[in-house]
Amino acid sequence: MTEFRDIPLPGRIIIIAVAAGVFAVAGVAVATSYNAVYRLVTFLGLYSENTNKTFGVMLDVAFIVAELAAILGGILRAVHLRRLSPTLEKREVDRQARQVSRGWPLNVMLVCGVATIAFNVFHAFLIGGAHDPKTVWRCIVAAFPPVLMILAFQVLIAITKWVMLTVGRPLYGGGALSPAGAPHEWGAYGSLGTSTTPGNGHNGQALGPPMTNRAMAEMYLSGCGERLGAVTGSEVVAA
């Protein structure tokens, strides 16, 4: 199993630097977007001053929470599907997959993202009005911070996926939540891997249904027994 320290030093430095840069960019974007939303809500006079201060934070925090919930939904759905029997029909597997749906988190992300961009653009529009020649550019500049915030978090999630895949614990795989260093599954050839099907997909073979942990363990142990039976006493002594 690969660990984070096994990644070459330049790669680890770049990962940490990019993650820090993403948080910095996202922080500035959130602050800029919050300022615009706060001024818009204050201008509309809908709420009290204290409520106006928290309105912009509500949108950004809801977006981040929904994005994390969508990632968690993908992980838990993968864990759930790996526990199912390989003899289940595809219809039943699809029904089980719908039990752990990422629909609501993705919908919240969409609503919060669109609302944040719309509020920023509307605030820029109200400053000069339709007849101001700078209005179009104000709207474009105002839309940039929330869009950049959304993209920055997507970059951070992409980096997380790459790192988890490199260390042998894919983000949407069943081993993502297992203890560090624990083998998350046995491959079809008696080694740690990510294969969960009887076929390996080579030479045009179609991938079959996922194997259970018990079936994969028995396959691995049967191969160990054959190899152990071929070992002579002198080889054991030499080893």
Side-chain angles (χ1 to χ4, degrees), residues 38-157:
Y38 166 72
R39 294 181 64 181
L40 173 63
V41 176
T42 302
F43 174 79
L44 295 177
L46 295 175
Y47 311 108
S48 65
E49 181 63 20
N50 291 332
T51 303
N52 293 341
K53 293 179 180 179
T54 59
F55 191 90
V57 177
M58 176 185 66
L59 292 175
D60 295 333
V61 171
F63 177 85
I64 297 173
V65 170
E67 187 151 15
L68 295 177
I71 298 174
L72 179 60
I75 296 175
L76 295 183
R77 181 168 61 182
V79 173
H80 177 61
L81 293 180
R82 288 169 187 265
R83 295 174 178 172
L84 299 180
S85 171
T87 60
L88 287 180
E89 297 181 356
K90 183 178 183 301
R91 180 184 304 178
E92 177 62 20
V93 174
D94 293 339
R95 190 188 71 82
Q96 292 286 343
R98 289 193 295 270
Q99 300 300 314
V100 189
S101 173
R102 295 184 296 162
W104 280 112
L106 294 177
N107 289 334
V108 173
M109 287 172 55
L110 179 63
V111 170
C112 292
V114 172
T116 303
I117 296 173
F119 292 163
N120 277 260
V121 172
F122 187 50
H123 169 258
F125 178 80
L126 291 179
I127 293 177
H131 302 290
D132 191 333
K134 298 181 180 180
T135 297
V136 175
W137 285 106
R138 285 196 185 101
C139 293
I140 295 175
V141 173
F144 186 73
V147 171
L148 186 61
M149 177 194 69
I150 295 173
L151 296 179
F153 279 106
Q154 295 303 317
V155 170
L156 187 61
I157 291 175

Side-chain angles (χ1 to χ4, degrees), residues 158-195:
I159 293 175
T160 303
K161 291 180 180 178
W162 299 340
V163 173
M164 295 293 286
L165 184 62
T166 302
V167 300
R169 299 168 69 188
L171 189 60
Y172 291 154
L177 299 181
S178 62
H184 52 284
E185 52 184 66
W186 292 100
Y189 297 102
S191 60
L192 284 173
T194 57
S195 173

